[in-house]
Amino acid sequence: MVSDLAAAPGNSAPLELVDLHKRFGSQQALAGLDLTIQRGTCYALLGPNGAGKTTTLNILLGFLTPDQGRARIDGVDVLADPEGARRRLAYIPEQVQLYPRLTGFENLEYFHALGSTVAADTDMLRDCLRRAGLADAAHDRRVATYSKGMRQKVGIAIALARRAPVMLLDEPTSGLDPQAAWELNASLRDLAGQGITILMATHDLFRAREVASRIGILVAGRLRQDLDADSVAGAELETLYLEEVRQLQGTGP
Ligand SMILES: Nc1ncnc2c1ncn2[C@@H]1O[C@H](COP(=O)(O)OP(=O)(O)OP(=O)(O)O)[C@@H](O)[C@H]1O
Ligand SMILES: [Mg+2]
């Protein structure tokens, strides 16, 4: 129901990163990243500035080529079949770019026609806006009147209309007020509950626990912790995070 593409070859996990390495000059951005994310998981990837979060997303999106290792989306290798991998992905950037003079619905209609092969009708598109958490009353208002949180919801609706089984988000709640961040997270949790697999990079430890079912701590290009979100209390997560970061920066007690 979620996706025409949901039937992965074999029983592959929707996201599989194995021994990923990426270097920029003398900077080792990824140094053997292993990460597997199961279907319907909302995974929050935490990590300090420069940890390699965006580099990871860019490899999945095919914008960067890893030096070593492999990345598979729904069993499809991003290097061997970049088009196939890309079709299975939706990316919601921090700043969703929309046409301010068009309404939320018109933006969705436009971007869907431009970027997807999935047939669209009005009911399907409105349903995507609702599932993304945009109230009906806002669908036909110009985007110029939208808050950042509302624009992000249109971005999620565009992703939903494409029926991609995997969603990537880079710092989705940065710059959102607490209520907007809470709403966005509630929508993401619902989508994960519907079987969509979500990987989000974030700095927000508090909201990571709120939205995610699993939490990873990436430091210096390697996954140092891979945790069940319910198994760590907020203070414990902060302590773990700081320990991991300090150990690698040589500033630990
Ligand atoms: N295109 C690039 N050219 C050179 N260096 C890069 C490039 N992209 C990333 N880097 C370097 O790779 C490392 C990882 O960067 P990345 O952007 O993946 O970190 P991040 O975890 O997303 O950080 P932030 O939390 O600040 O967004 C950093 O040291 C960064 O300077
Ligand atoms: Mg980043």
Side-chain angles (χ1 to χ4, degrees):
M1 167 224 143
V2 168
S3 168
D4 296 340
L5 299 169
N11 282 326
S12 316
L15 272 174
E16 237 183 333
L17 309 178
V18 181
D19 195 33
L20 272 189
H21 286 71
K22 181 70 187 176
R23 174 186 285 275
F24 298 102
S26 63
Q27 188 64 44
Q28 192 72 48
L30 295 178
L33 171 61
D34 291 306
L35 173 61
T36 299
I37 306 181
Q38 302 299 337
R39 185 173 139 84
T41 300
C42 181
Y43 196 103
L45 192 60
L46 297 169
N49 296 126
K53 301 179 298 295
T54 299
T55 301
T56 304
L57 299 184
N58 282 336
I59 288 174
L60 286 167
L61 288 161
F63 296 154
L64 288 174
T65 308
D67 301 329
Q68 188 183 316
R70 59 168 201 269
R72 285 199 292 223
I73 298 155
D74 235 6
V76 177
D77 190 288
V78 297
L79 290 178
D81 182 4
E83 280 298 306
R86 191 71 187 84
R87 271 204 308 279
R88 290 167 163 81
L89 273 184
Y91 174 57
I92 293 110
E94 191 196 327
Q95 300 283 349
V96 176
Q97 301 294 331
L98 300 170
Y99 288 100
R101 286 173 174 276
L102 301 182
T103 66
F105 179 81
E106 288 165 346
N107 268 283
L108 170 58
E109 213 172 28
Y110 175 77
F111 284 106
H112 185 76
L114 202 66
S116 179
T117 51
V118 176
D121 60 57
T122 302
D123 288 348
M124 185 278 259
L125 294 179
R126 289 203 186 274
D127 185 50
C128 289
L129 287 171
R130 281 184 206 115
R131 286 170 66 208
L134 192 73
D136 282 29
H139 292 192
D140 301 312
R141 263 172 41 205
R142 281 204 212 177
V143 161
T145 68
Y146 279 20
S147 65
K148 180 174 177 184
M150 291 165 80
R151 288 198 302 275
Q152 264 175 327
K153 288 173 183 173
V154 178
I156 291 175
I158 295 168
L160 286 173
R162 288 184 50 216
R163 298 196 200 157
V166 178
M167 252 183 217
L168 305 180
L169 299 99
D170 203 353
E171 304 189 21
T173 52
S174 109
L176 293 188
D177 69 50
Q179 192 198 341
W182 187 90
E183 278 181 20
L184 183 78
N185 282 348
S187 302
L188 293 177
R189 269 200 314 268
D190 280 355
L191 298 179
Q194 293 165 31
I196 293 177
T197 305
I198 299 171
L199 172 59
M200 57 188 274
T202 179
H203 287 295
D204 192 334
L205 274 69
F206 168 74
R207 299 219 172 269
R209 282 190 64 253
E210 183 182 272
V211 65
S213 45
R214 288 199 75 81
I215 298 175
I217 301 179
L218 182 74
V219 187
R222 292 186 72 170
L223 198 67
R224 310 287 162 173
Q225 297 280 344
D226 187 2
L227 307 157
D228 182 345
D230 291 334
S231 73
V232 277
E236 205 183 331
L237 179 62
E238 187 172 31
T239 305
L240 262 176
Y241 177 91
L242 292 174
E243 273 173 12
E244 293 296 346
V245 174
R246 284 178 182 145
Q247 264 178 32
L248 270 129
Q249 292 175 342
T251 56

